[in-house]
Amino acid sequence: MTAPTSTDLRAPSRASGVADTDLSDTQNLPCILFIVDQLTELGGGERSLFEIAKGLPAFGYRSLIVTFRDNPAPAAYFLCDNITILPLASCFSFKALFTALQLRRIILREQVTVVHTFFESSDIFGAVVARISGVKHLISSRRDMGILRSSKHQIAYRLLAPLYSAVITVSDTVRDWHRQTDNIAEDKIKTIHNGLALDRLQPRQPAKTVRDQLGVACSSPLVTTISNINPWKGVDVFVSTAAIVLEQHPEAMFAVAGDWTDLDHLHALQAAASTLGIADRMLFLGRVDDIAALLLASDVFALLSRSEGMPNVVLEAMAAGLPVVATAVGGTPEVVVDGVTGYLVPNEDSEAAAEHIGQLISDPYLRARIGDAGITRIHNHFSLEKMIRSHVDLYDSLLARQSKEQP
């Protein structure tokens, strides 16, 4: 392939929202390289990355994905078959130099025009390698409030801020935090909310089948949370909230779906449920593949995290018509309209969460009204098409600016 000219850098014009380009010859399209720390656990950030990458060919781009951790989850290969693994145990090791050389070869061979990074190692290590390799456009997606950062990360992010052409955040709250903490120029940072592929949220089995498998009677209200087992996800608050609700509604059941990423924390949660006398009403399900079916089998969704960026699970629950009770942290208040599509409660406040969950359990008409409002909000504001289009518009603007700057 010859080096791209200034006209090659621009994606084709899009009169109808879809690129007027021959999708059978994607090798000639401008290349977006996504770099992500890991794909062994597929959270909201990783799944959004796949959705963006899959949507790009229709808009005149091709994509590649590089990850720094071995053994991606099998589901990753169902979402994308173009994944390259470049192991990186530490950014400050001799092996990191070998990984950097491999990454540079990919960038040069594929004539990458934009590198788009997700999470700390990719944001820092990937950014430096991309710049050294001559990539002119570097984009970082910031999806949380720095909850996993070390002091080294904090320093590196501030030092490397000038390298980025743009920084995308998943909520305005996350944007404001990163702009101040990382010293990012106002004109370089923007919010693009997560979006859902609503037509793909189809359950593979009926709600009654799910309840039968879980041993939940049709008459028992089912309150569900979806969260990997980590301390900052507030599943311990969910357990204590369940104990309060069960005092007034002993027929209710509570389910926790999500990877058991911290087994010590899982055992502590199970012990807490036993101590509170609710172990028989609390289901720790682990990873659930058919999330849509679980949501449709549920009556109320709760997410009582201590920190969030923009929780995809709240979007999915609202799209399924569930009323949501969630902590008012991160970008969650930008999704849940308090009293309209659910209820927002203070962080760590089990009493407030239990009050709203109990109210929803007691009033099926309230559940239905709030659930319908949630469906409408997701359709109007959080579609997958809107999310992809916003990313494409950013890529277009960067490449158009480069074309104007070239002699």
Side-chain angles (χ1 to χ4, degrees):
M1 180 190 288
T2 58
T5 65
S6 59
T7 54
D8 291 328
L9 291 170
R10 294 192 302 271
S13 61
R14 308 183 231 295
S16 62
V18 178
D20 181 18
T21 188
D22 180 5
L23 300 185
S24 65
D25 187 19
T26 58
Q27 192 63 29
N28 290 324
L29 299 177
C31 181
I32 311 294
L33 173 61
F34 295 95
I35 307 178
V36 60
D37 284 13
Q38 61 85 30
L39 294 172
T40 57
E41 301 164 12
L42 301 184
E46 291 81 9
R47 292 183 182 275
S48 292
L49 181 159
F50 285 128
E51 294 288 8
I52 298 164
K54 286 192 298 184
L56 289 183
F59 291 93
Y61 291 98
R62 61 189 173 93
S63 63
L64 302 172
I65 297 175
V66 166
T67 183
F68 289 143
R69 189 182 298 177
D70 287 325
N71 301 318
Y77 291 102
F78 286 102
L79 296 170
C80 178
D81 58 3
N82 193 5
I83 299 172
T84 299
I85 302 171
L86 300 181
L88 181 68
S90 170
C91 297
F92 305 99
S93 65
F94 178 76
K95 288 185 177 179
L97 178 60
F98 179 69
T99 298
L101 292 173
Q102 289 181 300
L103 181 57
R104 175 180 167 82
R105 290 191 192 103
I106 292 172
I107 289 171
L108 296 178
R109 183 185 71 230
E110 300 295 337
Q111 298 186 347
V112 170
T113 53
V114 175
V115 166
H116 189 160
T117 59
F118 285 70
F119 306 113
E120 286 81 5
S121 295
S122 301
D123 286 339
I124 296 169
F125 180 84
V128 172
V129 175
R131 280 300 193 199
I132 292 174
S133 302
V135 175
K136 296 185 181 300
H137 301 298
L138 193 59
I139 300 173
S140 169
S141 278
R142 309 286 169 86
R143 309 191 62 86
D144 57 39
M145 309 282 280
I147 194 167
L148 295 179
R149 287 188 180 186
S150 66
S151 56
K152 290 189 295 185
H153 290 137
Q154 297 283 46
I155 295 169
Y157 270 112
R158 290 184 71 87
L159 289 175
L160 297 180
L163 292 185
Y164 299 105
S165 305
V167 173
I168 298 171
T169 58
V170 291
S171 69
D172 291 338
T173 303
V174 173
R175 180 198 64 201
D176 294 342
W177 187 88
H178 281 277
R179 183 172 57 82
Q180 181 175 4
T181 303
D182 298 339
N183 195 30
I184 300 170
E186 178 70 30
D187 62 347
K188 283 189 175 184
I189 190 166
K190 67 175 298 185
T191 297
I192 299 179
H193 288 132
N194 292 341
L196 287 183
L198 298 172
D199 59 334
R200 297 184 208 162
L201 296 176
Q202 300 298 324
R204 296 196 294 272
Q205 51 190 338
K208 185 179 185 306
T209 301
V210 174
R211 281 180 166 256
D212 289 344
Q213 291 172 348
L214 298 180
V216 178
C218 293
S219 59
S220 295
L222 178 59
V223 182
T224 295
T225 191
I226 299 173
S227 168
N228 291 341
I229 302 298
N230 292 312
W232 60 87
K233 285 296 186 178
V235 181
D236 55 324
V237 183
F238 182 75
V239 171
S240 60
T241 297
I244 298 170
V245 172
L246 286 165
E247 292 175 3
Q248 299 296 322
H249 302 276
E251 75 283 8
M253 292 290 292
F254 293 79
V256 181
D259 284 337
W260 294 350
T261 48
D262 185 332
L263 288 177
D264 289 340
H265 190 54
L266 171 66
H267 296 153
L269 294 169
Q270 292 171 327
S274 180
T275 299
L276 291 167
I278 62 170
D280 61 332
R281 314 305 294 175
M282 180 70 60
L283 305 173
F284 292 94
L285 305 178
R287 179 183 297 181
V288 173
D289 292 328
D290 197 352
I291 288 295
L294 175 62
L295 290 172
L296 290 174
S298 303
D299 298 288
V300 177
F301 182 81
L303 187 70
L304 304 179
S305 304
R306 295 181 168 91
S307 180
E308 283 291 347
M310 171 63 74
N312 274 8
V313 291
V314 168
L315 300 180
E316 292 172 358
M318 289 169 59
L322 287 183
V324 172
V325 177
T327 42
V329 297
T332 304
E334 295 170 41
V335 182
V336 178
V337 181
D338 191 32
V340 178
T341 66
Y343 296 102
L344 296 169
V345 299
N347 198 5
E348 308 281 354
D349 196 336
S350 296
E351 293 283 350
E355 180 180 353
H356 288 303
I357 291 172
Q359 182 183 9
L360 290 164
I361 285 175
S362 302
D363 192 339
Y365 297 103
L366 178 64
R367 291 201 306 271
R369 176 173 62 79
I370 289 179
D372 288 344
I375 292 173
T376 299
R377 180 159 174 78
I378 296 301
H379 274 272
N380 290 343
H381 299 285
F382 298 97
S383 70
L384 177 64
E385 293 78 9
K386 184 176 181 179
M387 180 184 74
I388 294 174
R389 165 59 83 174
S390 296
H391 282 82
V392 168
D393 288 345
L394 177 58
Y395 301 150
D396 284 352
S397 66
L398 292 176
L399 298 187
R401 186 189 313 163
Q402 180 180 339
S403 295
K404 291 178 181 179
E405 292 172 355
Q406 289 184 343

